[in-house]
Amino acid sequence: AIRYLYYVSRTLLRHLTRSVSHGPIMQFKLSDIGEGIMEVVVKEWYVKEGDKVSQFDSICEVQSDKASVTITSRYDGVIRRLHYAADDTALVGKPLVDIETDTGPEVAQEEDVVETPAMSREEHTHQEIKGHKTQATPAVRRLALENNIKLSEVVGTGKDGRILKEDILNFLAKQTGAILPPSPFHETRESQRPKEVQPASLPASLPASLPARPQPVLSSQDVTEPLKGFHRAMMKTMTAALKIPHFGLCDEVDLSRLAALRSDLRGISEARGVKLSYMPFFIKAASLGLLHFPVLNASLDEASQNITYKAAHNIGLAMDTSQGLLVPNVKNVQLLSVFEIARELNRLQVLGSSGQLGTSDLTGGTFTLSNIGSIGGTYAKPVILPPEVAIGALGKIQILPRFDSNGELVKAHILNVSWSADHRVIDGATMCRFSNLWRQYLENPASMVLDLK
């Protein structure tokens, strides 16, 4: 009996000891997310202290000067400490969160996993499939494995053909006919967004579609806050742009023929699932012009001693988003059709409106167009985005009276464009000749067919 009681007590003691024992605490450091970024702002935590997490679970969202990225866990365990509060600035290489892991002490210290629509080079894993490498993150591979999807069957829309989470979900939706729910990021942002102000009852003489104006906000005291994220990036970029001697040029473009062509093609494009605006034509015409004037698709080094003529036409589009001004770019426009440009613009606009533009979408631009006309502006003085050397601002398209070749008064679709160029390397004649060629392509869109590849 004594030996039995001793055995029972020893078993209970071992059980109690095991129940209160803890796994090793891993300090989860913020990894290098590329582009020379040394600090980020913690926008939102998806976990709190005491929460259990599994590998690839989202931990938080951080925002750098370039883009917002989601940090995912590499371990299974329990969150023991958050080193930062929301809106704090986190430093690369410093602890972000402490996780009590479920594994033994032999687990090595590892940095966090960054999952974003555009992954950095160090975060890719590769798999040889049918003679070529399929690029995807561990989280994407796990999602594919859970749904019995072969990565070789999925078309990647990321940089260099890498497979994104959205590609897996879209592939799954096509196979099952399911309707994809909004992403957690989108739901979170929607819940935090202030509700739209409903307009009061309008008089019968006013159109029912009159947009509602937000109510003015009155404050009784001054508010001071630090510049963070994209606003801080804009401050740095515009400070550097101030060193550039800007040369300006304005012109007028008659888009009447292009308006008729777009009207004919819009239904065909929408049948393929792509919205066709004027912008793909503007971008393609700019690329055709850059082939003749490569100095406009160049960059200067910081010492202004060397100029690099860029082979790729990565044409940026200044985009007004809830996070501020962003300039994603369409890569290799010189190799794309108008339809392919439209499809890529649709993708960038969707990501921009939901705050999910990746680093690769926002970097590498070589030439920029700013569509101020989408808001209602007619003229602008665009500021060059260094290290680029030229930028154009597009005004709104207006129906205005003009004389045709026969001297008859007609209605014309008129667009005003304002160019800015770096006068250290671009003279006025070059900028004017480029603008003339760009205008000719748009005023006679059939001529673009001769130069399309």
Side-chain angles (χ1 to χ4, degrees):
I2 294 175
R3 297 179 66 180
Y4 175 75
L5 290 175
Y6 171 78
Y7 173 77
V8 171
S9 61
R10 186 175 179 181
T11 303
L12 290 173
L13 179 62
R14 187 183 300 115
H15 175 74
L16 290 173
T17 302
R18 184 162 54 243
S19 64
V20 298
S21 64
H22 299 283
I25 302 294
M26 309 300 295
Q27 280 204 329
F28 203 35
K29 295 181 180 179
L30 179 63
S31 67
D32 182 6
I33 58 179
E35 299 295 329
I37 295 170
M38 300 305 298
E39 62 183 32
V40 297
V41 176
V42 179
K43 297 299 294 181
E44 182 179 358
W45 286 103
Y46 298 135
V47 296
K48 61 182 181 298
E49 294 180 359
D51 284 355
K52 287 186 64 68
V53 293
S54 300
Q55 292 185 52
F56 312 113
D57 284 351
S58 296
I59 292 180
C60 66
E61 177 202 345
V62 300
Q63 180 177 298
S64 69
D65 291 350
K66 304 294 184 181
S68 294
V69 296
T70 300
I71 306 298
T72 60
S73 175
R74 190 183 292 273
Y75 309 112
D76 297 330
V78 179
I79 301 296
R80 289 305 180 195
R81 180 185 176 189
L82 306 180
H83 285 264
Y84 301 96
D87 292 328
D88 282 354
T89 299
L91 303 178
V92 170
K94 299 297 183 181
L96 182 67
V97 61
D98 291 350
I99 298 181
E100 179 185 330
T101 62
D102 295 340
T103 54
E106 68 277 3
V107 178
Q109 288 277 356
E110 295 182 80
E111 291 184 342
D112 56 301
V113 181
V114 179
E115 182 178 5
T116 173
M119 304 296 294
S120 64
R121 181 174 64 255
E122 296 79 6
E123 295 151 354
H124 298 157
T125 55
H126 303 274
Q127 180 181 2
E128 293 284 350
I129 296 179
K130 296 181 180 180
H132 68 277
K133 291 183 177 181
T134 299
Q135 302 181 25
T137 64
V140 171
R141 294 184 182 279
R142 180 183 180 186
L143 181 62
L145 181 64
E146 291 175 347
N147 291 278
N148 295 320
I149 296 176
K150 295 181 180 179
L151 292 178
S152 58
E153 299 177 354
V154 180
V155 178
T157 60
K159 184 179 180 181
D160 300 326
R162 68 187 61 127
I163 299 174
L164 310 178
K165 179 180 178 181
E166 291 78 8
D167 299 328
I168 299 294
L169 296 177
N170 290 333
F171 181 88
L172 185 62
K174 291 179 180 178
Q175 296 295 317
T176 62
I179 299 177
L180 296 179
S183 64
F185 183 95
H186 182 71
E187 290 176 347
T188 303
R189 283 288 175 263
E190 289 294 333
S191 63
Q192 293 178 351
R193 191 172 298 165
K195 295 183 178 179
E196 183 178 356
V197 179
Q198 297 297 328
S201 56
L202 300 175
S205 58
L206 294 179
S209 59
L210 188 67
R213 291 186 177 181
Q215 293 181 347
V217 177
L218 300 177
S219 177
S220 59
Q221 58 185 1
D222 297 342
V223 177
T224 302
E225 58 183 25
L227 286 173
K228 296 181 179 180
F230 296 120
H231 294 287
R232 184 172 181 177
M234 183 186 296
M235 179 271 295
K236 293 180 179 179
T237 303
M238 293 299 100
T239 300
L242 186 62
K243 302 176 183 178
I244 300 174
H246 283 56
F247 166 79
L249 172 71
C250 297
D251 204 352
E252 180 180 284
V253 185
D254 186 346
L255 299 180
S256 300
R257 292 184 181 179
L258 180 60
L261 177 62
R262 172 177 171 264
S263 179
D264 292 338
L265 297 178
R266 185 158 53 174
I268 300 174
S269 181
E270 291 179 353
R272 299 182 186 180
V274 175
K275 181 181 178 181
L276 182 64
S277 65
Y278 287 100
M279 187 55 64
F281 297 97
F282 298 156
I283 290 176
K284 188 61 184 180
S287 178
L288 293 174
L290 293 176
L291 293 174
H292 295 272
F293 300 94
V295 69
L296 297 178
N297 195 59
S299 65
L300 277 176
D301 61 7
E302 292 185 2
S304 299
Q305 297 298 315
N306 300 286
I307 182 171
T308 301
Y309 297 89
K310 301 292 187 177
H313 296 175
N314 299 339
I315 298 183
L317 174 64
M319 187 179 296
D320 180 41
T321 73
S322 58
Q323 296 175 296
L325 177 66
L326 301 180
V327 189
N329 59 82
V330 180
K331 300 291 194 294
N332 293 304
V333 174
Q334 78 280 6
L335 304 177
L336 301 180
S337 66
V338 171
F339 177 78
E340 290 170 332
I341 296 170
R343 182 170 56 193
E344 177 66 2
L345 284 178
N346 282 198
R347 183 186 72 85
L348 294 174
Q349 287 165 351
V350 169
L351 294 177
S353 63
S354 59
Q356 299 186 55
L357 285 167
T359 303
S360 68
D361 295 323
L362 296 167
T363 56
T366 61
F367 185 88
T368 298
L369 293 176
S370 177
N371 187 16
I372 193 67
S374 62
I375 302 175
T378 306
Y379 297 95
K381 184 182 179 181
V383 179
I384 299 169
L385 300 175
E388 298 176 22
V389 295
I391 185 175
L394 310 175
K396 63 181 179 181
I397 300 174
Q398 305 176 84
I399 308 297
L400 298 174
R402 291 295 185 269
F403 290 100
D404 63 12
S405 57
N406 297 321
E408 299 291 335
L409 192 64
V410 297
K411 292 182 179 180
H413 292 71
I414 300 299
L415 168 77
N416 295 108
V417 59
S418 305
W419 302 104
S420 288
D422 188 335
H423 217 345
R424 294 173 297 180
V425 293
I426 299 171
D427 55 58
T430 300
M431 189 73 251
C432 188
R433 291 188 180 101
F434 169 83
S435 180
N436 291 341
L437 181 58
W438 182 78
R439 186 187 70 239
Q440 290 168 15
Y441 278 127
L442 297 177
E443 291 187 338
N444 301 282
S447 66
M448 296 176 63
V449 177
L450 296 177
D451 294 325
L452 292 179
K453 298 183 183 299

